[in-house]
Amino acid sequence: MEYKNIVFQKEDKVAVLTISRPKALNALNSETLKELDLVIDEIANDDEIYAVILTGEGKAFVAGADISEMKDLDVISGRKFGQLGNRVFRKLESLEKPVIAAVNGFALGGGCELSMACDIRIASSKAKFGQPEVGLGITPGFGGTQRLPRLVGLGMAKELIYTAKIIKADEALRIGLVNKVVEPEELLAEARALANIIAGQAPIAVSLCKAAINKGMQLDIDSAIAYEAEIFGECFSTEDQKNGMTAFIEKTEKCFKNK
């Protein structure tokens, strides 16, 4: 399928999504959010994709939600826009396949929120992060008030959101918002290398690990451990488990088939 604002590429077992509205610093309008919704479905239904990289074209990852679209919204349409963004980001977060955000530049507002809906964030040294919505008279609307505290802690999240502060990549690394910072020319290669390592593991097991982590973080520890035991057991119904353990014992090469 062809997309207007997203470039979708497949490289072996890795999908690369590039938000492509460079003249608008890749700002998220309704059209782009709906395209992202569709491409997530396309990836979910492709058994040959094991990992995903999400990045932006030009000097921004995503500079935010599109202010020119939001400016004249009323209460009802504003709520619907927030619901659209939240639904799409939640779908991305719940995608069975791991998603790596390769944050190449500005990740502000909706852009920061989009990166937080990914599993892992690798940032260019030129990247900048923030939730500057209160400076525009609004709150974060695509999950920022919920995911940021879960990643960096309550106090730090409140400081960033209340002050509309924009931070550099090294500060994002220090507070735990990103996993790694690399030079701009190394960013995509670093993301691809990580994606390829992930894609070389048993894909069903990786998917179940993602489910266990995401769901377990919302449960009490006893319920979370019980859920982990359930999905651990599920692994033993897969060909990949048998192939992986046989290869380990017999010292042969692993061959995972996503079955």
Coordinates of all heavy atoms in Angstrom, one line a residue, residues 88-171:
V88 N -4.0 5.1 18.2 CA -2.9 4.7 17.3 C -1.7 4.4 18.0 O -1.0 3.4 17.8 CB -2.7 5.8 16.2 CG1 -1.5 5.4 15.3 CG2 -3.9 5.9 15.3
F89 N -1.3 5.2 19.0 CA -0.1 5.0 19.8 C -0.2 3.7 20.6 O 0.7 3.0 20.8 CB 0.2 6.2 20.7 CG 0.7 7.4 19.9 CD1 0.6 7.5 18.6 CD2 1.3 8.4 20.6 CE1 1.1 8.6 17.9 CE2 1.9 9.5 20.0 CZ 1.7 9.6 18.6
R90 N -1.4 3.5 21.1 CA -1.6 2.3 21.9 C -1.5 1.0 21.0 O -1.0 0.0 21.5 CB -3.0 2.3 22.6 CG -3.3 1.1 23.5 CD -2.3 1.0 24.6 NE -2.7 0.0 25.5 CZ -1.8 -0.8 26.2 NH1 -0.5 -0.5 26.1 NH2 -2.3 -1.7 27.0
K91 N -2.0 1.1 19.8 CA -1.9 0.0 18.9 C -0.4 -0.2 18.6 O 0.1 -1.4 18.5 CB -2.6 0.3 17.6 CG -2.5 -0.8 16.5 CD -3.2 -0.4 15.2 CE -4.7 -0.6 15.3 NZ -5.3 -0.5 13.9
L92 N 0.4 0.8 18.4 CA 1.8 0.7 18.2 C 2.5 0.0 19.4 O 3.3 -0.9 19.3 CB 2.5 2.0 17.9 CG 4.0 2.1 17.7 CD1 4.4 1.4 16.4 CD2 4.5 3.5 17.7
E93 N 2.1 0.5 20.6 CA 2.7 0.0 21.8 C 2.3 -1.5 22.0 O 3.1 -2.3 22.5 CB 2.2 0.8 23.0 CG 2.8 0.4 24.4 CD 2.3 1.4 25.5 OE1 1.1 1.6 25.5 OE2 3.1 1.8 26.2
S94 N 1.1 -1.9 21.5 CA 0.7 -3.3 21.7 C 1.1 -4.2 20.5 O 0.7 -5.4 20.6 CB -0.9 -3.3 21.9 OG -1.3 -2.5 22.9
L95 N 1.7 -3.6 19.5 CA 2.1 -4.5 18.4 C 3.0 -5.6 18.9 O 3.9 -5.4 19.7 CB 2.9 -3.6 17.4 CG 3.4 -4.2 16.1 CD1 2.2 -4.6 15.2 CD2 4.4 -3.3 15.4
E96 N 2.7 -6.8 18.4 CA 3.5 -8.0 18.9 C 5.0 -7.9 18.6 O 5.8 -8.5 19.3 CB 2.9 -9.2 18.3 CG 1.5 -9.6 18.9 CD 1.0 -10.9 18.4 OE1 1.6 -11.5 17.4 OE2 0.0 -11.4 18.9
K97 N 5.3 -7.1 17.6 CA 6.7 -7.0 17.2 C 7.4 -5.8 17.9 O 6.8 -4.8 18.0 CB 6.8 -6.9 15.7 CG 6.2 -8.1 15.0 CD 5.7 -7.9 13.6 CE 4.9 -9.1 13.2 NZ 4.6 -9.1 11.7
P98 N 8.6 -6.0 18.3 CA 9.4 -4.9 19.0 C 9.6 -3.7 18.0 O 9.8 -3.9 16.8 CB 10.7 -5.5 19.4 CG 10.5 -7.0 19.3 CD 9.5 -7.2 18.3
V99 N 9.4 -2.5 18.6 CA 9.6 -1.3 17.8 C 10.7 -0.5 18.4 O 10.7 -0.2 19.6 CB 8.3 -0.5 17.8 CG1 8.5 0.8 16.9 CG2 7.1 -1.3 17.3
I100 N 11.7 -0.1 17.6 CA 12.8 0.8 18.0 C 12.6 2.2 17.4 O 12.5 2.3 16.2 CB 14.1 0.2 17.5 CG1 14.4 -1.2 18.1 CG2 15.3 1.1 17.9 CD1 15.5 -2.0 17.4
A101 N 12.5 3.2 18.3 CA 12.5 4.5 17.8 C 13.9 5.0 17.6 O 14.7 5.0 18.5 CB 11.8 5.4 18.8
A102 N 14.2 5.4 16.3 CA 15.5 6.0 16.0 C 15.3 7.5 16.0 O 14.8 8.1 14.9 CB 16.0 5.5 14.7
V103 N 15.5 8.2 17.1 CA 15.1 9.6 17.2 C 16.2 10.5 16.7 O 17.2 10.7 17.3 CB 14.8 9.9 18.7 CG1 14.3 11.4 18.8 CG2 13.8 9.0 19.3
N104 N 16.0 11.0 15.5 CA 17.0 11.8 14.7 C 17.0 13.2 15.0 O 18.0 13.9 14.7 CB 16.8 11.6 13.2 CG 15.4 11.8 12.8 OD1 14.4 11.2 13.3 ND2 15.2 12.8 11.9
G105 N 16.0 13.8 15.6 CA 15.9 15.2 15.9 C 14.9 15.6 16.9 O 14.7 14.9 17.9
F106 N 14.1 16.6 16.6 CA 13.1 17.0 17.6 C 12.1 15.9 17.8 O 11.5 15.4 16.9 CB 12.3 18.3 17.0 CG 13.2 19.5 16.9 CD1 13.5 20.0 15.6 CD2 13.7 20.1 18.0 CE1 14.3 21.2 15.5 CE2 14.5 21.3 17.9 CZ 14.8 21.8 16.7
A107 N 11.9 15.6 19.1 CA 10.8 14.7 19.5 C 10.0 15.4 20.6 O 10.2 15.2 21.8 CB 11.4 13.4 20.0
L108 N 9.1 16.3 20.2 CA 8.4 17.2 21.1 C 6.9 16.9 21.1 O 6.4 16.5 20.0 CB 8.7 18.6 20.7 CG 10.1 19.1 20.6 CD1 10.2 20.5 20.1 CD2 10.9 18.9 21.8
G109 N 6.3 17.0 22.2 CA 4.8 16.8 22.3 C 4.5 15.4 21.8 O 5.0 14.4 22.3
G110 N 3.7 15.4 20.7 CA 3.3 14.1 20.1 C 4.5 13.3 19.6 O 4.4 12.1 19.6
G111 N 5.6 13.9 19.3 CA 6.8 13.2 18.9 C 7.4 12.5 20.1 O 7.9 11.3 19.9
C112 N 7.5 13.1 21.2 CA 8.0 12.5 22.4 C 7.1 11.3 22.8 O 7.5 10.2 23.1 CB 8.2 13.5 23.5 SG 9.0 12.9 25.0
E113 N 5.8 11.6 22.7 CA 4.8 10.6 23.0 C 4.9 9.4 22.1 O 4.8 8.2 22.5 CB 3.4 11.2 23.0 CG 3.2 12.2 24.1 CD 1.9 13.0 24.0 OE1 1.7 13.6 22.9 OE2 1.2 13.1 24.9
L114 N 5.1 9.7 20.8 CA 5.3 8.6 19.8 C 6.5 7.7 20.2 O 6.5 6.5 20.1 CB 5.4 9.1 18.4 CG 5.6 8.1 17.3 CD1 4.4 7.2 17.2 CD2 5.8 8.8 15.9
S115 N 7.6 8.4 20.5 CA 8.8 7.6 20.9 C 8.6 6.7 22.1 O 9.1 5.6 22.2 CB 10.0 8.6 21.1 OG 9.9 9.2 22.4
M116 N 7.8 7.3 23.1 CA 7.5 6.5 24.3 C 6.6 5.3 24.1 O 6.6 4.4 24.9 CB 7.0 7.4 25.4 CG 8.0 8.5 25.9 SD 7.4 9.4 27.3 CE 6.1 10.4 26.7
A117 N 5.9 5.3 23.0 CA 5.0 4.2 22.6 C 5.8 3.1 22.0 O 5.3 1.9 21.8 CB 3.9 4.6 21.7
C118 N 7.1 3.3 21.7 CA 8.0 2.3 21.1 C 8.7 1.6 22.3 O 8.6 2.0 23.4 CB 9.1 3.0 20.3 SG 8.4 3.8 18.8
D119 N 9.2 0.4 22.0 CA 9.9 -0.4 23.0 C 11.2 0.1 23.5 O 11.6 0.1 24.7 CB 10.0 -1.8 22.5 CG 8.7 -2.5 22.2 OD1 8.1 -2.9 23.2 OD2 8.3 -2.6 21.1
I120 N 12.0 0.6 22.5 CA 13.4 1.0 22.8 C 13.6 2.3 22.0 O 13.1 2.5 20.9 CB 14.4 0.0 22.3 CG1 14.2 -1.3 23.1 CG2 15.8 0.4 22.4 CD1 14.9 -2.5 22.5
R121 N 14.3 3.3 22.7 CA 14.6 4.5 22.0 C 16.1 4.7 21.9 O 16.8 4.7 22.9 CB 14.0 5.7 22.8 CG 12.5 5.8 22.7 CD 11.9 6.5 23.9 NE 12.0 5.6 25.1 CZ 11.2 4.6 25.3 NH1 10.3 4.2 24.5 NH2 11.4 3.8 26.4
I122 N 16.6 4.9 20.7 CA 18.0 5.3 20.4 C 18.0 6.7 19.9 O 17.2 7.0 18.9 CB 18.7 4.3 19.4 CG1 18.7 2.9 20.0 CG2 20.1 4.8 19.1 CD1 19.2 1.9 19.0
A123 N 18.8 7.6 20.4 CA 18.7 9.0 20.0 C 20.0 9.5 19.4 O 21.1 9.1 19.8 CB 18.4 9.9 21.3
S124 N 19.9 10.3 18.4 CA 21.0 11.1 17.9 C 21.4 12.1 18.9 O 20.6 12.5 19.7 CB 20.5 11.8 16.6 OG 21.4 12.9 16.3
S125 N 22.7 12.4 18.9 CA 23.2 13.4 19.9 C 22.5 14.8 19.6 O 22.6 15.7 20.5 CB 24.7 13.5 19.8 OG 25.1 13.9 18.4
K126 N 21.9 14.9 18.5 CA 21.2 16.2 18.1 C 19.7 16.2 18.5 O 19.0 17.2 18.3 CB 21.4 16.5 16.7 CG 22.8 16.9 16.3 CD 22.9 17.3 14.8 CE 24.3 17.7 14.4 NZ 24.4 18.1 13.0
A127 N 19.3 15.0 19.0 CA 17.8 14.9 19.3 C 17.5 15.8 20.5 O 18.3 16.0 21.4 CB 17.5 13.5 19.6
K128 N 16.2 16.2 20.6 CA 15.7 17.0 21.7 C 14.3 16.5 22.0 O 13.5 16.2 21.1 CB 15.7 18.5 21.4 CG 17.1 19.1 21.2 CD 17.0 20.6 21.0 CE 18.4 21.2 20.9 NZ 18.3 22.7 20.7
F129 N 14.0 16.4 23.3 CA 12.8 15.8 23.8 C 12.1 16.8 24.7 O 12.7 17.6 25.4 CB 13.1 14.5 24.6 CG 13.7 13.4 23.8 CD1 15.1 13.4 23.6 CD2 13.0 12.4 23.3 CE1 15.7 12.4 22.9 CE2 13.6 11.4 22.6 CZ 14.9 11.4 22.4
G130 N 10.7 16.7 24.7 CA 10.0 17.5 25.7 C 8.5 17.4 25.5 O 8.0 16.9 24.4
Q131 N 7.8 17.8 26.5 CA 6.3 17.9 26.4 C 5.9 19.3 26.7 O 5.6 19.7 27.8 CB 5.7 16.9 27.5 CG 6.0 15.5 27.3 CD 5.4 14.8 26.1 OE1 5.8 13.7 25.7 NE2 4.3 15.4 25.6
P132 N 6.0 20.1 25.6 CA 5.8 21.6 25.8 C 4.4 22.1 25.8 O 4.1 23.3 25.6 CB 6.7 22.2 24.7 CG 6.6 21.2 23.6 CD 6.4 19.8 24.3
E133 N 3.4 21.2 25.9 CA 2.0 21.5 25.6 C 1.5 22.6 26.5 O 0.7 23.4 26.0 CB 1.1 20.3 25.8 CG 1.3 19.2 24.7 CD 2.4 18.2 24.9 OE1 3.2 18.4 25.8 OE2 2.4 17.2 24.2
V134 N 1.9 22.7 27.8 CA 1.3 23.7 28.7 C 1.6 25.1 28.2 O 0.9 26.1 28.5 CB 1.7 23.5 30.1 CG1 1.1 22.2 30.7 CG2 3.2 23.6 30.3
G135 N 2.7 25.2 27.4 CA 3.1 26.5 26.8 C 2.1 26.9 25.7 O 2.2 28.0 25.2
L136 N 1.3 26.0 25.2 CA 0.3 26.2 24.2 C -1.1 26.3 24.7 O -2.1 26.3 24.0 CB 0.4 25.1 23.1 CG 1.8 25.0 22.4 CD1 1.8 23.8 21.5 CD2 2.0 26.3 21.5
G137 N -1.2 26.1 26.1 CA -2.5 26.1 26.7 C -3.3 24.8 26.7 O -4.5 24.8 26.9
I138 N -2.5 23.7 26.4 CA -3.2 22.4 26.4 C -2.3 21.4 27.3 O -1.2 21.7 27.8 CB -3.3 21.8 25.0 CG1 -1.9 21.7 24.3 CG2 -4.3 22.7 24.2 CD1 -2.0 21.0 23.0
T139 N -2.9 20.2 27.5 CA -2.1 19.1 28.1 C -1.6 18.2 27.1 O -2.0 18.2 25.9 CB -3.0 18.3 29.0 OG1 -4.0 17.6 28.2 CG2 -3.8 19.2 30.1
P140 N -0.6 17.4 27.4 CA -0.2 16.3 26.5 C -1.5 15.4 26.2 O -2.3 15.2 27.2 CB 0.8 15.5 27.3 CG 1.4 16.5 28.2 CD 0.3 17.4 28.6
G141 N -1.7 15.1 25.0 CA -2.9 14.4 24.6 C -2.8 13.0 24.0 O -3.8 12.3 23.8
F142 N -1.5 12.6 23.8 CA -1.3 11.3 23.2 C -0.6 10.3 24.1 O 0.2 9.5 23.7 CB -0.5 11.4 21.9 CG -1.2 12.1 20.8 CD1 -0.5 12.5 19.6 CD2 -2.6 12.5 20.8 CE1 -1.2 13.2 18.6 CE2 -3.2 13.1 19.8 CZ -2.5 13.5 18.7
G143 N -0.8 10.4 25.4 CA -0.3 9.5 26.4 C 0.9 10.0 27.2 O 1.5 9.3 28.0
G144 N 1.3 11.3 27.0 CA 2.5 11.8 27.7 C 2.4 11.8 29.2 O 3.3 11.6 29.9
T145 N 1.2 12.1 29.7 CA 1.0 12.2 31.1 C 1.0 10.8 31.8 O 1.2 10.7 33.0 CB -0.3 12.9 31.5 OG1 -1.4 12.1 31.0 CG2 -0.4 14.3 31.0
Q146 N 0.9 9.8 31.0 CA 0.9 8.4 31.5 C 2.2 7.7 31.3 O 2.7 7.0 32.2 CB -0.3 7.6 30.9 CG -1.6 8.3 31.1 CD -1.9 8.7 32.5 OE1 -1.8 7.8 33.4 NE2 -2.2 9.9 32.8
R147 N 2.8 7.8 30.1 CA 4.0 7.0 29.8 C 5.2 7.7 30.3 O 6.2 7.0 30.8 CB 4.1 6.8 28.3 CG 3.1 5.9 27.7 CD 3.3 5.5 26.2 NE 2.3 4.6 25.8 CZ 1.2 5.0 25.1 NH1 1.0 6.3 24.9 NH2 0.3 4.1 24.7
L148 N 5.3 9.0 30.3 CA 6.5 9.6 30.8 C 6.8 9.3 32.3 O 7.9 9.0 32.7 CB 6.4 11.2 30.6 CG 7.7 12.0 30.9 CD1 8.8 11.5 30.0 CD2 7.4 13.5 30.7
P149 N 5.8 9.4 33.2 CA 6.1 9.0 34.6 C 6.5 7.5 34.7 O 7.3 7.2 35.6 CB 4.7 9.2 35.3 CG 4.0 10.2 34.5 CD 4.4 9.9 33.1
R150 N 6.0 6.7 33.9 CA 6.3 5.2 33.9 C 7.8 5.0 33.5 O 8.4 4.1 33.9 CB 5.4 4.4 33.1 CG 4.0 4.2 33.7 CD 3.0 3.7 32.6 NE 1.8 3.2 33.2 CZ 0.8 3.9 33.6 NH1 0.8 5.2 33.5 NH2 -0.3 3.4 34.1
L151 N 8.3 5.9 32.7 CA 9.7 5.8 32.2 C 10.7 6.5 33.1 O 11.8 6.0 33.3 CB 9.8 6.3 30.8 CG 9.2 5.4 29.7 CD1 9.1 6.2 28.3 CD2 10.1 4.2 29.5
V152 N 10.4 7.7 33.5 CA 11.4 8.5 34.2 C 11.1 8.8 35.7 O 11.8 9.4 36.4 CB 11.6 9.9 33.5 CG1 12.0 9.6 32.0 CG2 10.4 10.8 33.6
G153 N 9.9 8.4 36.1 CA 9.5 8.6 37.5 C 8.6 9.8 37.6 O 8.6 10.7 36.8
L154 N 7.8 9.8 38.7 CA 6.8 10.8 38.9 C 7.3 12.2 38.9 O 6.8 13.1 38.3 CB 6.0 10.5 40.1 CG 4.6 11.1 40.3 CD1 3.7 10.7 39.2 CD2 4.0 10.7 41.7
G155 N 8.3 12.5 39.8 CA 8.8 13.8 40.0 C 9.4 14.4 38.8 O 9.1 15.6 38.4
M156 N 10.2 13.6 38.1 CA 10.9 14.2 36.9 C 9.8 14.4 35.8 O 9.9 15.4 35.1 CB 11.9 13.2 36.4 CG 12.7 13.6 35.1 SD 13.5 15.2 35.3 CE 14.8 14.7 36.5
A157 N 8.8 13.5 35.6 CA 7.8 13.7 34.6 C 7.0 15.0 34.9 O 6.7 15.8 34.0 CB 6.9 12.5 34.6
K158 N 6.7 15.2 36.1 CA 5.9 16.4 36.5 C 6.7 17.7 36.2 O 6.2 18.7 35.7 CB 5.5 16.4 38.0 CG 4.4 15.4 38.2 CD 3.9 15.4 39.7 CE 2.7 14.5 39.9 NZ 2.3 14.5 41.3
E159 N 8.0 17.6 36.5 CA 8.8 18.8 36.2 C 8.9 19.1 34.7 O 8.7 20.2 34.3 CB 10.3 18.5 36.7 CG 11.2 19.7 36.5 CD 12.6 19.4 36.9 OE1 12.8 18.6 37.8 OE2 13.6 20.1 36.4
L160 N 9.1 18.1 33.9 CA 9.2 18.3 32.5 C 7.9 18.8 31.9 O 7.8 19.7 31.1 CB 9.6 17.0 31.8 CG 11.0 16.5 32.0 CD1 11.3 15.1 31.4 CD2 12.0 17.5 31.5
I161 N 6.8 18.2 32.4 CA 5.5 18.6 31.8 C 5.0 19.9 32.3 O 4.5 20.8 31.5 CB 4.4 17.5 32.1 CG1 4.7 16.2 31.4 CG2 3.0 18.0 31.8 CD1 3.9 15.0 31.8
Y162 N 5.2 20.2 33.6 CA 4.7 21.5 34.2 C 5.5 22.7 33.6 O 5.0 23.8 33.5 CB 4.9 21.5 35.7 CG 4.0 20.5 36.4 CD1 4.2 20.4 37.8 CD2 3.0 19.7 35.8 CE1 3.4 19.5 38.6 CE2 2.3 18.8 36.5 CZ 2.5 18.7 37.9 OH 1.7 17.8 38.6
T163 N 6.8 22.5 33.3 CA 7.6 23.6 32.9 C 7.8 23.7 31.4 O 8.3 24.7 30.9 CB 9.1 23.4 33.4 OG1 9.6 22.2 32.9 CG2 9.1 23.3 35.0
A164 N 7.3 22.7 30.6 CA 7.4 22.7 29.2 C 8.9 22.6 28.7 O 9.2 23.0 27.6 CB 6.7 23.9 28.5
K165 N 9.7 22.1 29.6 CA 11.1 22.1 29.4 C 11.5 21.2 28.2 O 11.0 20.1 28.1 CB 11.9 21.7 30.7 CG 13.4 21.7 30.6 CD 14.0 21.3 31.9 CE 15.5 21.3 31.9 NZ 16.0 20.8 33.2
I166 N 12.4 21.6 27.4 CA 13.0 20.8 26.3 C 14.4 20.4 26.7 O 15.2 21.2 27.1 CB 12.9 21.5 25.0 CG1 11.5 21.8 24.6 CG2 13.7 20.8 23.9 CD1 11.4 22.7 23.4
I167 N 14.7 19.1 26.6 CA 16.0 18.6 27.1 C 16.7 17.9 25.9 O 16.1 17.5 24.9 CB 15.8 17.5 28.2 CG1 15.0 16.3 27.7 CG2 15.2 18.2 29.4 CD1 15.0 15.2 28.7
K168 N 18.0 18.0 26.0 CA 18.9 17.4 25.0 C 19.0 15.9 25.2 O 18.6 15.3 26.2 CB 20.3 18.0 25.1 CG 20.3 19.5 24.7 CD 21.6 20.1 24.7 CE 21.6 21.6 24.3 NZ 23.0 22.2 24.4
A169 N 19.6 15.2 24.2 CA 19.7 13.8 24.2 C 20.5 13.2 25.4 O 20.1 12.2 26.0 CB 20.4 13.3 23.0
D170 N 21.6 13.9 25.9 CA 22.3 13.4 27.0 C 21.5 13.4 28.3 O 21.6 12.5 29.1 CB 23.7 14.1 27.1 CG 23.5 15.6 27.3 OD1 22.4 16.2 27.1 OD2 24.5 16.3 27.6
E171 N 20.7 14.5 28.4 CA 19.8 14.5 29.6 C 18.7 13.5 29.5 O 18.4 12.9 30.6 CB 19.2 15.9 29.7 CG 18.2 16.1 30.9 CD 18.9 16.1 32.3 OE1 20.1 15.9 32.3 OE2 18.1 16.2 33.3

